[in-house]
Amino acid sequence: MVFIRQATMDDIQKMQHCNLQCLPENYALRYYLYHIVTWPQLLFVAEDESENGKIVGYVLAKIDEEEKAPSELSAKDRINPNKNKRDGEMTELEKRKQRRDEKLKKQKGRSKVIQSAEDKKEKKKEEKEKEEEPATDEDKNRTKWKHGHITSLAVLRSHRKLGLATKLMLASQRQMLDVYNVDYVSLHVRETNHAAYHLYTNTLKFTKYDIEKKYYADGEDAFDMRKPLTPQYEKHVRDTLK
């Protein structure tokens, strides 16, 4: 029987051994140690009890951050007007004030009652955007997208087609959301790895976000795959991929 559990220090060498048997992308032992010391909640292994506790699969993951575009910042993100300001640049708060003043000028003389269908449509759109905003103050104060990244996923050939890769991914993904409150999950996959691409897109519902040219050591391109976990980042992906 194979079961999924959280990885421990005792599993590190076994995870590395599994990696060496499955993937061309290999890592030094200290790299695994770095992950389990920094993000212990995110590492999981598949253990086969029938083979004396042999590790037949694993997922290695971490937490990272990505700067938001200025247009994606919430009002509370701009509470410090000088934050990240360069000489000669307007702060985000100043830009918003400028846009607000311009909007107010355009609205002068307009009737308080919304008469046109276009105005009603715009109002409905604004209300929908407000509903999609994060509920907590902590989320509203973010100036970066927090995301979990799948560094490595592997299952021994002898134990494939059992759904172990999916279970490992979902276990790590749940921890990313519950422990770190991430906005999305990301990973890279080789352009020619059709089996893995099928797993990520059809089973795990990832989206191809971008292509990283010559990402791998042998020069092969990688697909930058992402899975939104919040409505805000889902909207960001839709807008980006339009």
Side-chain angles (χ1 to χ4, degrees):
M1 177 181 176
V2 180
F3 64 95
I4 307 299
R5 63 168 175 81
Q6 204 160 44
T8 67
M9 278 290 185
D10 293 336
D11 298 317
I12 294 301
Q13 284 187 315
K14 298 173 185 176
M15 292 167 67
Q16 185 187 40
H17 182 66
C18 181
N19 168 267
L20 291 170
Q21 293 183 72
C22 298
L23 300 172
E25 295 78 44
N26 309 129
Y27 312 101
L29 192 62
R30 64 177 178 273
Y31 193 61
Y32 293 87
L33 290 170
Y34 167 65
H35 275 71
I36 199 166
V37 168
T38 312
W39 306 282
Q41 305 92 338
L42 305 183
L43 279 65
F44 286 83
V45 293
E47 181 178 333
D48 191 343
E49 286 183 317
S50 65
E51 295 191 34
N52 298 318
K54 181 180 180 180
I55 299 303
V56 298
Y58 73 87
V59 61
L60 192 68
K62 63 180 182 177
I63 298 297
D64 209 342
E65 291 183 329
E66 174 189 10
E67 292 285 353
K68 288 184 179 181
S71 60
E72 294 167 334
L73 298 175
S74 66
K76 288 196 175 183
D77 292 331
R78 298 180 296 280
I79 196 166
N80 180 1
N82 294 315
K83 187 176 181 181
N84 299 327
K85 181 181 178 181
R86 296 179 182 177
D87 292 339
E89 286 186 342
M90 294 176 67
T91 66
E92 188 60 28
L93 180 60
E94 290 168 340
K95 291 177 182 177
R96 285 296 177 104
K97 284 182 177 179
Q98 186 182 55
R99 289 197 291 269
R100 182 197 63 190
D101 292 340
E102 290 173 356
K103 188 175 180 181
L104 288 173
K105 286 180 182 179
K106 291 179 181 179
Q107 288 178 339
K108 279 185 178 179
R110 182 181 291 182
S111 172
K112 291 182 180 179
V113 180
I114 300 175
Q115 296 177 347
S116 69
E118 185 178 345
D119 288 340
K120 288 180 181 178
K121 185 178 180 181
E122 185 66 26
K123 185 177 180 181
K124 189 175 181 180
K125 182 181 178 182
E126 290 175 359
E127 288 174 350
K128 185 178 179 181
E129 288 176 353
K130 286 180 181 178
E131 290 175 359
E132 290 180 345
E133 285 188 356
T136 65
D137 289 340
E138 181 184 354
D139 289 337
K140 289 178 182 177
N141 283 330
R142 287 184 186 174
T143 59
K144 298 180 180 179
W145 295 115
K146 183 185 286 187
H147 69 278
H149 182 75
I150 303 297
T151 306
S152 180
L153 172 71
V155 175
L156 293 180
R157 189 174 296 277
S158 59
H159 287 72
R160 292 176 186 173
K161 305 295 184 183
L162 300 175
L164 297 180
T166 299
K167 291 176 182 177
L168 287 164
M169 286 285 290
L170 292 177
S172 185
Q173 181 181 300
R174 278 194 298 271
Q175 291 292 82
M176 290 175 184
L177 195 56
D178 293 344
V179 179
Y180 295 99
N181 196 26
V182 300
D183 296 295
Y184 68 96
V185 186
S186 68
L187 58 85
H188 291 98
V189 62
R190 285 179 175 270
E191 197 172 24
T192 56
N193 192 344
H194 304 300
Y197 182 78
H198 181 275
L199 169 71
Y200 298 138
T201 53
N202 292 6
T203 304
L204 295 167
K205 308 305 180 185
F206 277 74
T207 299
K208 185 171 75 173
Y209 185 82
D210 201 357
I211 298 177
E212 302 251 358
K213 294 293 184 181
K214 298 182 179 180
Y215 178 82
Y216 293 100
D218 59 5
E220 185 174 349
D221 296 344
F223 291 144
D224 176 358
M225 310 288 292
R226 303 190 183 188
K227 180 179 180 179
L229 298 179
T230 62
Q232 294 73 37
Y233 195 76
E234 189 172 2
K235 180 178 182 298
H236 164 79
V237 172
R238 284 199 308 268
D239 293 343
T240 303
L241 299 180
K242 277 183 181 178

